[in-house]
Amino acid sequence: MDNSAVLLLVAAVTLAALALAGCGQGSTGEDRVPERSAGETATTDQGVVQEAVAFGGLAVPADAEVLGVQHQSGIDDMYVLAFATPPDSVEAMLTGSGFTTALTPGREVHQRPVDGLEFGTGDEIVSGQDVLAPGGGRTQRVNRKVLVDRADPDRPVVHWWLFTT
């Protein structure tokens, strides 16, 4: 083999390896979340909120306040939402949404919150993830990550990341 053929073979193998690395995800696909584009802005538009709630199969208590929602659509869809709730409504939101995975202390979710919000730190954070099967108008499974921030114990904030990747 001459040098140009060897270089061409090395380039092809390198490109294939990079393509596979870029598509990497865990065996269930739950650990890969699409990145949000920098130009997105948060909204509280009820149409977008209702679309996100339906997409993620969420049950939002009447006393929850929408702090913001962001949507990214492309090959995959992703919604990022945040709700402030009275302390006793957090469990109702999780249970009503069919979220049965036990939340664990700490921040397992490493995505950004809705623009303009920040997470607390320390013991007031619990998080977890699950997968919602197709149904209820959904044609694809939806990966759901949730983080509950109790930095203000009188007004916890429930953050959701809902995506089809």
Side-chain angles (χ1 to χ4, degrees), residues 11 20 37 46 63 65 73 81 83-84 86 102 129 134 148-149 153 164:
L20 289 173
S37 60
Q46 283 303 303
D63 55 3
E65 175 191 355
S73 183
L81 298 102
F83 299 94
Q129 62 185 353
V148 179
D149 183 349
T164 57

Tab-separated table of all heavy atoms in Angstrom, residues 11 20 37 46 63 65 73 81 83-84 86 102 129 134 148-149 153 164:
chain	number	residue	atom	x	y	z
A	11	ALA	N	-7.771	8.181	7.657
A	11	ALA	CA	-8.792	9.232	7.712
A	11	ALA	C	-10.190	8.625	7.788
A	11	ALA	O	-11.038	9.085	8.552
A	11	ALA	CB	-8.667	10.150	6.490
A	20	LEU	N	-19.210	7.593	15.484
A	20	LEU	CA	-19.754	6.714	16.515
A	20	LEU	C	-19.679	7.354	17.894
A	20	LEU	O	-20.595	7.235	18.694
A	20	LEU	CB	-19.019	5.370	16.522
A	20	LEU	CG	-19.311	4.467	15.335
A	20	LEU	CD1	-18.413	3.241	15.363
A	20	LEU	CD2	-20.766	4.053	15.312
A	37	SER	N	-30.201	25.480	22.217
A	37	SER	CA	-29.482	26.528	21.502
A	37	SER	C	-29.503	27.800	22.331
A	37	SER	O	-30.426	28.056	23.098
A	37	SER	CB	-30.111	26.771	20.129
A	37	SER	OG	-31.452	27.178	20.259
A	46	GLN	N	-49.298	29.891	27.693
A	46	GLN	CA	-50.085	28.721	28.079
A	46	GLN	C	-50.169	27.682	26.970
A	46	GLN	O	-50.237	26.482	27.250
A	46	GLN	CB	-51.483	29.144	28.534
A	46	GLN	CG	-51.494	29.723	29.927
A	46	GLN	CD	-50.911	28.755	30.951
A	46	GLN	OE1	-51.360	27.634	31.106
A	46	GLN	NE2	-49.878	29.203	31.640
A	63	ASP	N	-52.410	24.560	41.890
A	63	ASP	CA	-51.705	25.587	42.651
A	63	ASP	C	-50.251	25.776	42.216
A	63	ASP	O	-49.501	26.530	42.830
A	63	ASP	CB	-51.786	25.310	44.153
A	63	ASP	CG	-51.278	23.933	44.541
A	63	ASP	OD1	-50.792	23.187	43.663
A	63	ASP	OD2	-51.385	23.595	45.738
A	65	GLU	N	-47.297	27.228	39.905
A	65	GLU	CA	-47.037	28.435	39.091
A	65	GLU	C	-45.983	28.106	38.048
A	65	GLU	O	-44.901	27.617	38.378
A	65	GLU	CB	-46.536	29.570	39.985
A	65	GLU	CG	-46.141	30.800	39.212
A	65	GLU	CD	-45.397	31.826	40.068
A	65	GLU	OE1	-45.258	31.633	41.286
A	65	GLU	OE2	-44.940	32.826	39.483
A	73	SER	N	-36.942	22.086	18.883
A	73	SER	CA	-37.417	21.067	17.973
A	73	SER	C	-36.438	20.936	16.822
A	73	SER	O	-35.882	21.915	16.345
A	73	SER	CB	-38.797	21.460	17.439
A	73	SER	OG	-39.303	20.450	16.616
A	81	LEU	N	-38.985	22.769	31.597
A	81	LEU	CA	-40.036	23.480	32.331
A	81	LEU	C	-39.617	23.674	33.775
A	81	LEU	O	-38.822	22.902	34.307
A	81	LEU	CB	-41.335	22.670	32.348
A	81	LEU	CG	-42.012	22.357	31.047
A	81	LEU	CD1	-41.740	20.932	30.648
A	81	LEU	CD2	-43.488	22.575	31.198
A	83	PHE	N	-41.724	24.745	37.551
A	83	PHE	CA	-42.945	25.086	38.275
A	83	PHE	C	-42.601	25.352	39.730
A	83	PHE	O	-41.854	24.574	40.337
A	83	PHE	CB	-43.950	23.922	38.258
A	83	PHE	CG	-44.403	23.509	36.895
A	83	PHE	CD1	-43.775	22.474	36.215
A	83	PHE	CD2	-45.476	24.141	36.297
A	83	PHE	CE1	-44.207	22.072	34.963
A	83	PHE	CE2	-45.918	23.747	35.039
A	83	PHE	CZ	-45.282	22.718	34.377
A	84	ALA	N	-43.148	26.407	40.290
A	84	ALA	CA	-43.077	26.631	41.740
A	84	ALA	C	-44.376	26.078	42.315
A	84	ALA	O	-45.456	26.315	41.758
A	84	ALA	CB	-42.939	28.108	42.057
A	86	PRO	N	-46.571	24.732	46.141
A	86	PRO	CA	-46.567	24.559	47.593
A	86	PRO	C	-45.902	23.211	47.906
A	86	PRO	O	-45.942	22.291	47.081
A	86	PRO	CB	-48.051	24.533	47.967
A	86	PRO	CG	-48.746	25.214	46.830
A	86	PRO	CD	-47.924	24.890	45.613
A	102	ALA	N	-37.818	6.608	42.464
A	102	ALA	CA	-37.484	7.326	43.698
A	102	ALA	C	-36.438	8.394	43.398
A	102	ALA	O	-35.453	8.140	42.695
A	102	ALA	CB	-36.955	6.352	44.743
A	129	GLN	N	-34.786	10.233	37.106
A	129	GLN	CA	-35.210	10.163	35.715
A	129	GLN	C	-36.021	8.902	35.472
A	129	GLN	O	-35.904	7.933	36.212
A	129	GLN	CB	-34.009	10.215	34.780
A	129	GLN	CG	-33.046	9.064	34.938
A	129	GLN	CD	-31.814	9.230	34.060
A	129	GLN	OE1	-31.731	10.130	33.237
A	129	GLN	NE2	-30.851	8.355	34.224
A	134	PRO	N	-44.698	5.315	24.794
A	134	PRO	CA	-45.666	5.928	23.887
A	134	PRO	C	-47.088	5.649	24.368
A	134	PRO	O	-47.365	4.637	24.988
A	134	PRO	CB	-45.404	5.215	22.552
A	134	PRO	CG	-44.003	4.728	22.648
A	134	PRO	CD	-43.800	4.385	24.102
A	148	VAL	N	-36.017	18.492	41.932
A	148	VAL	CA	-36.820	19.268	42.870
A	148	VAL	C	-35.858	20.054	43.739
A	148	VAL	O	-34.979	19.489	44.400
A	148	VAL	CB	-37.724	18.367	43.735
A	148	VAL	CG1	-38.533	19.212	44.712
A	148	VAL	CG2	-38.640	17.526	42.857
A	149	ASP	N	-36.011	21.361	43.718
A	149	ASP	CA	-35.157	22.281	44.463
A	149	ASP	C	-35.966	22.857	45.625
A	149	ASP	O	-36.909	23.615	45.416
A	149	ASP	CB	-34.681	23.393	43.526
A	149	ASP	CG	-33.722	24.376	44.177
A	149	ASP	OD1	-33.574	24.343	45.415
A	149	ASP	OD2	-33.136	25.170	43.432
A	153	PRO	N	-38.092	26.195	51.244
A	153	PRO	CA	-38.969	25.082	51.625
A	153	PRO	C	-40.456	25.409	51.518
A	153	PRO	O	-41.281	24.505	51.408
A	153	PRO	CB	-38.570	24.780	53.064
A	153	PRO	CG	-37.771	25.931	53.532
A	153	PRO	CD	-37.253	26.655	52.338
A	164	THR	N	-36.989	13.382	23.455
A	164	THR	CA	-37.214	12.139	22.712
A	164	THR	C	-35.923	11.471	22.262
A	164	THR	O	-35.993	10.448	21.594
A	164	THR	CB	-38.066	12.399	21.454
A	164	THR	OG1	-37.428	13.382	20.643
A	164	THR	CG2	-39.460	12.825	21.826
